[in-house]
Amino acid sequence: MTSFNFSTWPPQLTPEQLEALTLAATTYALSHGLLYLPPSPSNTQPSIPTTAIHAPLSLIPAPFPRAQFHAARELQSVYNVLYARVAMNTKFLDTVMGADEGVGKADEFTGTLWRGWKKIREHGVLAQPLHLGLFRSDYLLHAAEDRLALKQVEFNTISSSFGPLSERAAALHRNILASTSYFSASPHLTADNFPENNTTSGLAEGLSKAHQAYGVRDARILFVVQPNERNVFDQQWLEYELLEKHQIHVVRQTLADLAVSASLDPSTHALTITLPFQTKPSLYEISTIYFRASYTPSDFPSPSYYDTRFLLERSRAIKCPSLPLQLAGGKKVQEALTRPGVLERFLSNEGAKWGTRAPDLTAHAAGIRATWMGMWALDSEDAEIAAALDLLPASVQGQGHGKVPPGTRLARCKAPSLVLKPQREGGGNNVYRETIPAFLDALPAEEREAWIAMEMIETPRGVSGYLVRASPSSSGTDNGSTEKKVVRAEVISELGIFGYALFGEGEVVEREVGWLVRTKGTESNEGGVAAGFSVLDSVVLV
Ligand code: ADP
Ligand code: MG
Ligand code: MG
């Protein structure tokens, strides 16, 4: 374990130093595209924006133990292959996420996506055997006994954002290190302790590999985006990289745009986008579809939006992610993998029969399991959960709940150390600790299946940071009361590791490609930058 004392962080700043650093950081961010579109009162963005604001950012990088940082990066290749194999295992996904047997029964959104996928695989042609994942595995440090352990929060298989902006946040901290004398204030603040972050080129490499595999040089990559997206620069940096390094053009469309512009060739299933430029419409064949939308129910305001999503799925273009890969990222899958033997089966060569031929990875099972907190389903009747419940004193077990499954009763007993999660992405959906019992009281029995219980990761306390927001009153939900641009607060930092995987029946082409740190005040349970709870950060390895 590192001997670093987290409660001594960050070194003290005078008001003059704080002002100078804030000026340096925000100027750097504005100069280098570490940007957001500004919030607008009507939540609509102009079609041609004229202003931008710097992304919420941290002034001083977060301390992170070197060994755990490297361990997270080394695990990524195993995770890339694991989730590729999960996506290729139709039977497993049907059981866990499906609407006949799995979580799709209780969760309408999951059920709708699963039914669409089932219909395509049963009645359609397999127009494209390859899938692309741009993944992000998220971790917190867990202070258990006398050591700090790396624990996984979740594994994202769709719209994993902030790769390019996190690269710029790391560059920002490196720049401030070089340009201000303040950083001599701590012996930890040396260049050696600031790892490289080249996420943009890595993610673009994943997209370009899919484009090459599709095999039509002049085809374009389609970015499916949300209307009025504020995090456009994070996406735009990928577009620039694709064009400048790989000579691949990108077409940006919302699902609503695609309802008009997209069509499939009836015999080849090639996806074509028609754009009405000037007098002559332009036709583009699409090699790869990169979804930065369609991960949340609000992306589908009416059933026709699902029709558009399923049309894209039926096409010959490579989907990032395909519907099965999106479903593989469900919180329920994360929980199902923890059950005895499940991970081990996926890591063993048994995986070959699901496609995605690759070496036996069983040797990594213990390392992967060591990153997991305890998880179970609220509707669980498993013997293990019942046994855990039996171990608790009778007084807290919840008598008289004969019909309430052990999974829910255990969640009620252990509420103070738990978080409940539904099958959602994008932040703001979880139920934490003391609010759990009242939530369970109100939860209809048939909806229990949609939720998992997860032990809370208990992060090291006492570490502080400086959080900088361009417009605090409009971007912070939990800090909205302060009008100060810079807030010193006790913080928690979440590490994300990016990776890509291009896979199908053959081998998995995959790589770990970079990292992200998001930092939030400890008073907030949630951590999404886009949802306004946290800021972009980087690490100083200790
Ligand atoms: P989402 O897909 O919406 O991002 P997450 O599982 O990442 O959902 O949960 C959102 C946030 O909640 C995380 O970024 C983290 O800050 C917090 N969180 C989630 N699970 C845990 C946990 N087990 N322990 C501590 N904090 C957690
Ligand atoms: Mg998350
Ligand atoms: Mg997520």
Side-chain angles (χ1 to χ4, degrees), residues 136 138 154-156 331 424-426:
R136 204 188 66 220
D138 291 335
E154 63 155 348
F155 190 87
N156 293 290
K331 307 287 191 287
R424 289 288 175 277
E425 296 299 329

Side-chain angles (χ1 to χ4, degrees), residues 369-497:
R369 277 198 186 273
T371 64
W372 291 347
M373 297 303 283
M375 278 171 260
W376 65 89
L378 282 190
D379 64 327
S380 177
E381 304 274 358
D382 287 0
E384 242 189 309
I385 299 298
L389 191 61
D390 284 342
L391 284 178
L392 300 171
S395 55
V396 299
Q397 278 184 30
Q399 301 302 319
H401 287 93
K403 288 220 188 72
V404 179
T408 301
R409 287 167 60 200
L410 188 62
R412 190 183 297 271
C413 296
K414 299 185 86 172
S417 62
L418 294 183
V419 47
L420 303 186
K421 301 188 185 184
Q423 310 306 305
R424 289 288 175 277
E425 296 299 329
N429 302 298
N430 299 341
V431 178
Y432 296 89
R433 302 193 199 261
E434 281 71 23
T435 60
I436 290 176
F439 170 80
L440 290 177
D441 288 341
L443 186 71
E446 65 278 10
E447 286 181 29
R448 284 184 192 126
E449 196 174 347
W451 293 78
I452 65 158
M454 181 178 187
E455 288 168 352
M456 284 295 281
I457 303 165
E458 304 294 351
T459 50
R461 288 299 152 120
V463 51
S464 293
Y466 290 97
L467 314 181
V468 187
R469 292 183 174 92
S471 52
S473 56
S474 52
S475 65
T477 47
D478 53 347
N479 232 329
S481 56
T482 172
E483 286 300 317
K484 278 224 275 301
K485 185 171 171 64
V486 188
V487 180
R488 188 190 159 110
E490 197 179 308
V491 294
I492 293 172
S493 294
E494 185 168 331
L495 175 69
I497 306 293

